[in-house]
């Protein structure tokens, strides 16, 4: 028997421990879910759900929720949260946004993916899969970071890429999901009319009782993409330079004097199916 080919997308997100970052995103996850008008009994799929920052509040509002994520430890962390919270209407399973295996067509009223499916390879397959599993009359809501945006996450990715080797040929940047024309191209190719796709700018706030520099340490130790950037910078003898740039960024972006509160702008995409 031949071993399955390594999946770099899965390896990246199984590195570190994203739950450490997710803990700072809970309030915004709850606010976003509140804005979606989730009603009891709705069937909700959360793709690239992590440990449930949006899946948990969706289930707390009475929806039947399935969270799908490529990372086995994050799926386990999500199921542990569901159990600890006594949410029998929430479960998590491993899966790939580019190929939602085992999920039937037209299964969900709402398909959510907040900074999740944007990281999957083959964006046209992702759009097609999100549309396929949404019931006619249902909605897809994506949250995507925006390339070139001046706020935290886009800037982390911009700075990190300057210290990282060029991506392999044919690699499509996840940040293209933050470009409206690319999003339209992907969903129209999946059969959605252009006027069924709408966009707004929204904000997620990373908040913690910690300093921005301590939060950067969490990125350095637990967030796969940042761990890779530090490793690449270290290999070039430029780790201190990368750290200084990121530390300045995290501190500049903080808006709170007594704790940490860092707002970040994202593109909220709504697709009526
Ligand atoms: C930045 S985290 C966001 C997690 C969660 N949505 C949240 O808001 O906390 C990105 C997530 O996408 C997941 N992911 C990356 N590539 C994926 C893929 N191909 N299919 C499904 N999930 C994926 C990662 O494992 C990770 O949980």
């Amino acid at each position: 028997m031949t071993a399955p080919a390594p999946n770099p997308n899965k390896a990246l997100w199984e590195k570190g421990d994203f739950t450490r970052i997710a803990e700072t995103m809970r309030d915004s996850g709850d606010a976003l879910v509140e804005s979606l008008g989730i009603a009891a009994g709705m069937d909700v799929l959360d793709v690239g759900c992590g440990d449930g920052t949006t899946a948990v509040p969706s289930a707390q509002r009475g929806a039947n929720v399935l969270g799908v994520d490529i990372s086995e430890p994050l799926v386990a962390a999500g199921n542990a949260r569901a159990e600890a919270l006594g949410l029998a209407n929430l479960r998590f399973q491993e899966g790939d946004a580019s190929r939602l295996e085992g999920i039937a067509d037209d299964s969900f009223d709402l398909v959510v993916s907040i900074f999740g499916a944007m990281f999957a390879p083959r964006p046209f397959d992702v759009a097609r899969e999100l549309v396929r599993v949404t019931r006619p009359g249902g909605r897809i809501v994506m949250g995507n970071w925006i390339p070139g945006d001046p706020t935290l996450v886009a800037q982390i990715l911009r700075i990190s890429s300057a210290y990282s080797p060029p991506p392999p040929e044919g690699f499509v940047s996840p940040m293209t999901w933050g470009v409206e024309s690319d999003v339209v191209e992907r969903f129209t190719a999946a059969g959605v009319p252009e006027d069924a796709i709408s966009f707004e700018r929204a904000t997620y706030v990373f908040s913690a009782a910690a300093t921005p520099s301590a939060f950067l340490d969490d990125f350095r130790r637990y967030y796969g993409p940042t761990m890779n950037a530090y490793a690449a910078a270290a290999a070039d003898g430029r780790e201190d330079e990368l750290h200084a740039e990121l530390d300045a960024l995290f501190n500049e972006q903080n808006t709170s004097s007594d704790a940490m509160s860092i707002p970040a702008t994202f593109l909220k995409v709504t697709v009526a199916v």
Side-chain angles (χ1 to χ4, degrees), residues 7 9-10 12-14 18 21-22 25-26 29 46-54 68-72 74 95-98 100 113-121 126 145 204 223:
N7 179 341
N9 173 225
K10 184 175 170 69
L12 175 67
W13 291 100
E14 290 187 343
F18 182 74
I21 311 296
M25 301 165 75
R26 304 294 193 216
D46 191 337
V47 179
C49 55
D51 67 349
T53 292
T54 44
V68 168
D69 200 282
I70 198 148
S71 159
E72 189 180 345
L74 290 175
D96 187 334
S98 324
L100 291 168
S113 189
I114 306 303
F115 323 128
M118 67 174 287
F119 291 105
V126 170
W145 300 119
Y204 241 63
Y223 183 67

Side-chain angles (χ1 to χ4, degrees), residues 99-176:
R99 191 157 169 254
L100 291 168
E101 251 176 273
I103 301 187
D105 298 358
D106 306 338
S107 297
F108 295 93
D109 303 300
L110 175 64
V111 174
V112 181
S113 189
I114 306 303
F115 323 128
M118 67 174 287
F119 291 105
R122 303 188 303 279
F124 282 88
D125 291 359
V126 170
R128 204 184 48 243
E129 283 295 82
L130 298 182
V131 172
R132 179 182 70 74
V133 300
T134 308
R135 286 188 182 124
R139 266 177 305 162
I140 300 166
V141 176
M142 290 184 88
N144 301 330
W145 300 119
I146 303 167
D149 184 82
T151 59
L152 186 78
V153 183
Q155 290 301 312
I156 296 174
L157 298 176
R158 180 189 63 77
I159 291 168
S160 300
S161 66
Y163 291 84
S164 305
E169 212 180 300
F171 176 81
V172 181
S173 166
M175 299 299 279
T176 54

